[in-house]
Amino acid sequence: MTAGIPPRERFVTLLCVASFLACTLFLFGPLHLYFTNRVEFYSVPVEILPPLAAVCLTAAGVIMLACIALPPRLFKKAVAVAVMTGVLFWLQGNVCVWRVGVLNGREIPWSAHRVYGFVDGTLWAALLAVALVKSDHMYRIARRASAAFLLIQLIAVTVSAARAPKGMSSNDYTSDDALKFTFSNRQNVIILVIDTLQGDVFQEIVDGDDRYRDVFSGFTYFRNAVGGYPTTYPSVPLILTGRYYDNSVPIQEFIETAFSTNSLPRTLRTLGWRVTLPLSYYIYNSEDIASNLKKRPLAPFYEGNLGYAADLYDAALLRYAPYFAKKYVYANGRGRVKPFYASRVRAARAESAASPRGAASSNPDVEFIEEMARGAHASDAPDTFAYYHLVGLHPPFTLNENLGNEEMPYSRESYTRQARGMLKIAEEFVSTLRRIGVYDKSMVCIIADHGFGFPLPRSFCAEGGGVRGHRTVADDSIIGTGVPLILVKPFGAQGRMRVSDAPVTLADIPATVASALGVAHAFPGESVFQRSAKEPRERRFLFYDWEDKWYADYLPRMTEYVVRGFSGCAESWAPTGRRFSPPSPAAAPAVYTPGTEITFGESGTYRQYAGEGWSFPKGASTFTKGKSASLRIPLRPLRTPLMMRVSLWPFLPPGTGKAQRVGVYVNNHKVADWEAVPQQPEYSAFIPPDMLAGGALTVRFDLPDAVSPLDAGLSRDHRTLGILVRRMTLWALKPYDYGTRITFGAGGDSVPYEESGWSFPETGYTWTSGNRASLLIPLPPPASDLVLRAVLKPLRIAERVDAQRVYIGVNGKRAGEWRVGAEGEYRVEIPKSVIEGPTSLFSFDLPDAFSPPAKDGRTSPRLLGVRFYSVRLSRKEPPPLLK
């Protein structure tokens, strides 16, 4: 024992410190990940807790045994280092959480973020040095610090548990596998999903091995297929219900409603069929829907829970380890704990029958087909519906074409090799159905829930044909996830595998089955066998970036694409502009502050205000779509008028006119008519204060000349395009103070008054744009006539224009004219009688404006007249009295 330290103090201190260090890494860390990723686990908390607690207690015991016999000085230093190590692990797991990318089986590029390693290394070295140098002080506070951190983590985990989404229905059930491969002698409907099998890869494999056309005899391969989503979660409900999820309700609520009301399993179960479904978070599990499910008892230490605990430890070690150590705890796209656990499980099964392929395989899909080969049989059971979902082609790629285990690099070649292996499993699947005599009595669908995301080869498009003539705006990886395998065999079908280019989608599966059975149904979609390849059809695909959203009630924001033509052709894909975002308090539009620029485009702020009629953003701009587009902008009550200024570009295909007409409405009152032309980048509209009641401004742009590129003969783009909007600003127009100078150019204050006909601000000045420019200025009633002073500089070119004529008008009445031949101040008197109403419109007609040649010899698109530097309005001084 350690002399000089009372045994009780030594024991209590070591217990607190060991508990803090062990619980941080082996209990609280994994539990936090468990509750924030709740839907990934079938285990309920009382089942996952025992294996975590056992490991935590073991780790705490090891720490105590390692330190209990140390001499006093070393004991204090060990306690100090242990406490600081616990603090460092807590900091890494909760504060210094570096983003290393999505854990999808790819090797993480550790060298890309070496700065993280430098930061973590410095932090660990500094704090551990402090612990050693100040070990006496650290020892004195060790118990209190450990207790405090334990309490903090206990509260945090409790909050995570309270906020965790509702447990999956699969948590309450267990599957009775006794009849998993029992089929009916009468009729069966069987769906085999090979996860992530991209349609073009299937085509490539079949083209290289003609034998598969006989293996899949009776099947029709639908090349022109579209999925619904890029991942499994919403795809399986789509396959079994035909319904799309759109983030309008929590996804688990959608799954429960969709499966319980009008799903294929529910319909067949109601008709007396025996329905076999897997336990899964993407299926609503209930005895009313699946025959093979039953309530399960709690099983704290069953093997699956240990597997989940291993997954949690891999994730926790990656999160809590310093960056310089992460590559050692998570190498080759996987953690260390789960493979170690799996190897122990395989060793425990060593006494079981050897795999017919020679070496025991840990691949669950291989185990699935071996189990089927052993147990499949036909009986006088009721008509049977069976859904099987293989792990398929998720990385890392470890199953080769011979169904042997092999570590393969992340590449399309490795993916294709594993796909060949999956087709061997599918071959054995249909061979088993033939062997037990139910093949002809079964309708079989071999499908994928989505593609992988590899770019599709152009040859795949060429084979199917497609929409040509415009450039797609869908990324290749998006298209790759949206082209799944769809392979369907009707009852009694025979002959070599057929190929169809009919436009089909995974949402057609329920209707296809119901139609084959002659069952009245209300499923969306239609039978894949009722579609002709020549019939045009529009199909939906909702794409989202998955990242790490398992814990959320909703999916990430989805972008809708439509596919017209062959799905393997990039030209057939186009976004609709519609997005389906999860509800969020942050999504509420902010109250607009006048003078704030509303930006458009991919990172624009317009989204919070956007109503109907907007297409997808591109770059820094967004097209209107349709014959009108609207914005709803919350405003605080205002007593001053507003000037709306919009930067836009009109869509003007050849033969459709020289301008795009734009009617501008505010709260259903017309405020402006614009003739939008490419030469004029900005447009303004005056909004009187009596239109600003109600706390919001609804702005609508009517676009009677909008036309689609398809109708204009430019491309296959069907969107009806009007104007491409870049930015918009609403300026509050305060009454003008006579004598104040209005300055133009960058940094000036002229923009709120610029009604129309102005170019963009430049250093110290702004050019007029076009043959007329105007200013709208709120003026108090003048007591006398006014003098308008303007500092100007003309656009002149020798032998063409030696001076610019400028005709000044005020509220539609001629006030005077200038001949601007040089830079200087120009004046005009304005009778007080023409100043009417709360605002006055000052117009400047410029008949000599022209487009100057650019430096490269081409003509500038701008029609320029004079530079405005400043404008000032003052009262006319009375003449001096005669003496």
Side-chain angles (χ1 to χ4, degrees), residues 3 21 65 74 93 141 158 167 183 201 240 286 329 333 449 501 540 630 655 711 825 828 865:
L21 180 55
L65 288 174
L74 287 180
I141 67 171
T158 302
F183 301 98
V201 175
L240 294 176
S286 166
V329 301
D449 49 353
D501 285 335
R540 300 177 72 198
S630 64
D711 292 339
E825 183 179 89
V828 65

Side-chain angles (χ1 to χ4, degrees), residues 3 129 310 351 357 403 571 730 770 800:
E351 68 277 6
R357 291 175 179 82
L403 300 183
E571 294 87 350
L730 297 166
R800 177 169 181 176

